[in-house]
């Protein structure tokens, strides 16, 4: 069984028509649909391996657990087949939902959405860390080792194909195919297979990130992917995110594949004594994390299971140092987004209902962030109750060319983790003090940022990011050798060039370069060969009689300056 729980301000649903002939007719009241406020919506898919009795028990247990954490009294049981491709029979699914509803009614007000009907629904999800949780409930015993046909398995895993029928032309998944950037496979759901071209974009973004962080005096670290359960219990993630963590056993201990980078980075901090002279201490990590998500909510690069966060954790000694560091981060965010021509707005999220730390601590933390934003004369919206469980945060929402906004960069002020991990430094009076900690990202998730950037630019990336910067075309068989010479000259100068000397219609080959979003197409014909010049096609226009050295010089200048 798979469930997706959503803590919502409201859900409004209405049945439209039967999806299964076997289901009964609805009452007049049921046909009108229902609107339920401040509730826990439980999207549920019952699977073939689920037994009714065990599934009812486990579903009730899980719903009670989440409902208790978010403090709701209304439960909406909503059959949602899209969460699984391995569905149980309708009879079994109905029995599980009815049984669970009956048990839950002892403690909650339960609303059941009609089973077996196509429905429309609208909902508004709250923004706290527990507002969206996915869980997989297994009720079947350990399976015996099965026999298998490797050729049949190969046929099954080869079926992965992008359904582009409902996607817009600028969807990053379509652009990913056209530009040969990445792919997905059901053998690793929600994990990106980066192709050479896509990996170039990924690495160029990292190169830019590293250069900027070096200028800003950050240290860079790398921490393990798999860490002992104890670490996550200390940090508080075990209670908050256990259901979204991949677990594995090793040497009779439980280990977690890290869903966050901060606990590992904290261990690096603790490895050696710290003095007040070491602060502010800026430690960055391009850390790959894994978080369990249901297959039904995965979506290209925007919602994945494995992704890289450009985290940094900054340790400070006092409030004034914190303020200076927050200002520095805002400047760094601004430089990055200006480079990609993103506009953005800022939001300040304050203490959530479920949090750790005293009200005095929260008053001080919220005041610090608000004072910085006002000092920088930055307009901001306040999101009451939307902070993380350990502190308030500033979020940056970028606006793309389609007018959509995306939350990417974040600055989180944390007084709790230093206390939980007993972090200390020696002050100028030789006394032990507890540092203040900032969490922050710039890109957020590298995968998601690339998806946003592809759609924002419609695949027409700036020259420095383009996987292929130049494609050299020979117009006739006679021009092949000259085209090869130009191509290898570009390669030697560090330009990412491709060579096209196919004996095919020129218009079709130019069209292929446009579809692949290659910024510059160099055309070599008899005239160019004779005059030792180039014809350069760029943004749909052709410029003739271009000197080779002049073209390469201008190209390298634009790449080096990351225009």
């Amino acid at each position: 069984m798979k469930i997706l729980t959503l803590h919502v301000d409201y859900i409004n649903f209405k049945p439209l028509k039967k999806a299964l002939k076997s289901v009964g007719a609805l009452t007049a009241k049921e046909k009108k649909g229902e609107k339920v406020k401040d509730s826990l919506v439980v999207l549920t898919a019952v699977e073939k391996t689920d037994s009714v009795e065990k599934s009812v028990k486990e579903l009730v247990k899980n719903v009670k657990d989440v409902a208790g954490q978010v403090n709701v009294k209304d439960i909406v049981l909503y059959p949602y087949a899209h969460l699984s491709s391995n569905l149980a029979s309708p009879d079994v699914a109905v029995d599980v939902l009815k049984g669970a509803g009956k048990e839950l009614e002892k403690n909650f007000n339960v609303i059941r959405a009609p089973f077996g009907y196509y429905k429309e629904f609208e909902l508004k999800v709250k923004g706290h860390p527990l507002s969206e949780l996915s869980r997989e409930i297994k009720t079947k015993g350990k399976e015996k080792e099965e026999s298998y046909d490797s050729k049949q398995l190969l046929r099954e895993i080869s079926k992965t194909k992008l359904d582009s029928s409902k996607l817009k032309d600028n969807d990053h998944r379509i652009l990913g195919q056209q530009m040969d950037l990445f792919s997905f496979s059901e053998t690793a759901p929600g994990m990106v297979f980066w192709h050479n071209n896509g990996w170039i974009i990924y690495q160029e973004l990292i190169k830019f990130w590293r250069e900027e962080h070096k200028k800003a005096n950050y240290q860079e670290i790398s921490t393990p992917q798999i860490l002992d359960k104890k670490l996550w219990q200390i940090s508080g993630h075990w209670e908050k995110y256990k259901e979204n963590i991949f677990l594995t056993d090793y040497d009779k201990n439980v280990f977690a594949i890290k869903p966050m980078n901060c606990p590992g980075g904290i261990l690096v901090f603790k490895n050696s004594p710290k003095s007040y002279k070491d602060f502010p201490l800026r430690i960055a990590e391009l850390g790959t994390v894994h978080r369990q998500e249901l297959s039904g909510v995965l979506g290209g690069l925007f919602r994945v299971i494995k992704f890289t966060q450009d985290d940094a954790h900054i340790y400070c000694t006092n409030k004034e140092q914190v303020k200076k560091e927050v200002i520095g981060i805002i400047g760094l965010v601004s430089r990055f987004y200006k480079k990609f021509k993103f506009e953005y707005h800022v939001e300040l999220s304050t203490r959530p209902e479920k949090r750790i730390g005293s009200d005095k601590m929260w008053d001080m933390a919220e005041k610090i962030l608000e004072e910085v934003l006002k000092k920088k004369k930055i307009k901001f919206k306040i999101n009451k109750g939307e902070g993380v469980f350990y502190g308030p945060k500033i979020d940056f929402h970028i606006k793309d060319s389609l007018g959509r906004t995306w939350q990417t960069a974040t600055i989180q002020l944390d007084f709790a983790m230093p206390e939980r991990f007993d972090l200390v430094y020696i002050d100028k009076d030789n006394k032990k003090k507890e540092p203040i900690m900032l969490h922050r990202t710039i890109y957020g998730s590298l995968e998601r940022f690339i998806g946003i950037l592809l759609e924002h630019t419609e695949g027409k990336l700036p020259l420095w990011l383009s996987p292929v910067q130049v494609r050299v075309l020979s117009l006739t068989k006679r021009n092949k050798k000259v085209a090869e010479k130009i191509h290898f000259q570009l390669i030697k100068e560090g330009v990412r060039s491709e060579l096209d000397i196919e004996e095919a219609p020129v218009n079709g080959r130019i069209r292929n370069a446009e579809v692949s979003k290659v910024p510059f197409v160099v055309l070599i014909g008899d005239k160019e060969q004779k005059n030792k010049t180039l014809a350069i096609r760029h943004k749909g226009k052709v410029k003739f009689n271009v000197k080779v050295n002049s073209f390469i010089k201008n190209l390298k200048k634009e790449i080096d300056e990351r225009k």
Side-chain angles (χ1 to χ4, degrees), residues 214-356:
K214 188 174 182 181
K215 291 175 190 174
N217 199 28
Y218 280 78
Q219 300 177 23
E220 186 180 350
I221 64 169
S222 178
T223 60
Q225 288 287 113
I226 302 174
L227 296 150
D228 195 292
K229 168 186 172 181
K230 299 184 189 73
L231 184 68
W232 308 101
Q233 290 174 318
I234 296 168
S235 70
H237 291 102
W238 189 258
E239 291 77 16
K240 301 289 181 182
Y241 297 104
K242 180 183 175 183
E243 297 300 326
N244 293 90
I245 299 176
F246 287 94
L247 302 176
T248 184
D249 292 329
Y250 172 69
D251 199 21
K252 298 181 181 179
N253 289 325
V254 177
F255 284 74
I257 301 175
K258 66 177 179 181
M260 314 280 181
N261 293 310
C262 34
I266 288 172
L267 293 185
V268 174
F269 178 97
K270 283 181 69 69
N271 191 59
S272 60
K274 298 291 184 293
S275 161
Y276 72 96
K277 296 177 182 178
D278 298 320
F279 294 84
L281 182 59
R282 307 179 188 101
I283 300 178
E285 178 176 15
L286 289 158
T288 299
V289 299
H290 291 74
R291 297 179 190 173
Q292 287 203 52
E293 299 280 5
L294 295 178
S295 58
V297 300
L298 299 174
L301 299 177
F302 290 158
R303 190 80 176 251
V304 290
I305 286 172
K306 174 200 170 193
F307 56 98
T308 297
Q309 285 188 312
D310 63 321
D311 274 322
H313 301 98
I314 303 174
Y315 302 90
C316 303
T317 58
N318 55 55
K319 291 187 290 184
E320 292 308 311
Q321 206 171 75
V322 169
K323 289 178 184 178
K324 288 180 181 178
E325 289 306 303
V326 172
I327 289 171
I329 297 168
I330 291 171
L332 194 60
V333 170
S334 181
R335 288 199 296 279
F336 268 75
Y337 292 173
K338 186 178 180 181
K339 176 65 66 177
F340 301 105
K341 297 182 179 178
F342 279 126
E343 297 177 5
Y344 63 87
H345 74 269
V346 175
E347 298 184 4
L348 173 61
S349 297
T350 59
R351 70 195 75 184
E353 185 176 332
K354 289 189 176 293
R355 58 185 182 269
I356 57 178

Side-chain angles (χ1 to χ4, degrees), residues 78-142:
Y78 199 106
Y80 200 69
H82 305 291
L83 294 179
S84 176
S85 59
N86 188 35
L87 296 172
S89 68
D91 291 340
V92 171
V94 168
D95 287 346
V96 170
L97 291 167
K98 279 185 177 180
K102 188 175 179 180
E103 286 297 312
L104 289 167
E105 282 172 354
K106 296 175 182 178
N107 304 97
F108 303 92
N109 177 34
V110 179
I111 301 93
R112 287 183 56 209
F115 183 89
Y117 278 80
Y118 294 113
K119 297 177 287 291
E120 62 181 13
F121 70 91
E122 175 188 25
L123 51 80
K124 183 180 179 183
V125 181
K126 294 179 183 289
H128 59 77
L130 301 176
S131 58
E132 301 175 65
L133 291 174
S134 60
R135 295 188 176 185
E136 183 174 8
I137 302 170
K138 296 182 179 180
T139 58
K140 192 176 180 181
K142 189 176 181 180

Side-chain angles (χ1 to χ4, degrees), residues 499-556:
L499 179 64
D500 181 355
I501 52 176
E502 296 294 320
E503 294 182 25
V506 173
N507 287 340
R509 292 156 65 199
I510 292 174
R511 172 62 183 158
N512 287 340
E514 289 177 346
V515 170
S516 300
K517 314 298 181 186
V518 178
F520 290 92
V521 179
V522 174
L523 305 170
I524 307 292
D526 290 339
K527 182 179 177 182
E528 285 72 35
Q529 183 169 332
K530 179 181 177 182
N531 297 334
K532 296 182 179 180
T533 59
L534 308 173
I536 308 296
R537 184 180 178 87
H538 179 55
K539 295 183 178 179
K541 296 180 180 180
V542 181
K543 186 176 181 181
F544 297 96
N545 299 315
V546 178
K547 299 290 184 182
V548 176
N549 290 339
S550 175
F551 173 64
I552 293 176
K553 181 182 177 182
N554 291 335
L555 205 63
K556 289 180 66 179

Side-chain angles (χ1 to χ4, degrees), residues 161-218:
K161 188 178 179 182
L162 176 66
D163 179 9
S164 59
S165 59
K166 296 180 181 179
L167 303 180
K168 295 180 179 178
D169 289 344
N170 74 316
D171 189 285
H172 71 278
R173 287 163 287 189
I174 290 178
L175 293 169
Q177 281 193 343
Q178 291 175 345
M179 299 170 69
D180 192 22
L181 304 180
F182 55 82
S183 58
F184 292 90
S185 167
E186 64 181 35
T187 59
M191 304 186 201
V192 188
F193 288 75
W194 290 105
H195 301 190
N196 179 68
N197 285 351
W199 196 240
I200 288 171
I201 298 172
Y202 190 99
Q203 293 299 325
E204 286 292 336
L205 287 173
I206 287 177
K207 184 180 178 183
F208 174 54
W209 183 93
R210 284 201 168 111
E211 288 177 9
E212 290 298 314
H213 281 72
K214 188 174 182 181
K215 291 175 190 174
N217 199 28
Y218 280 78

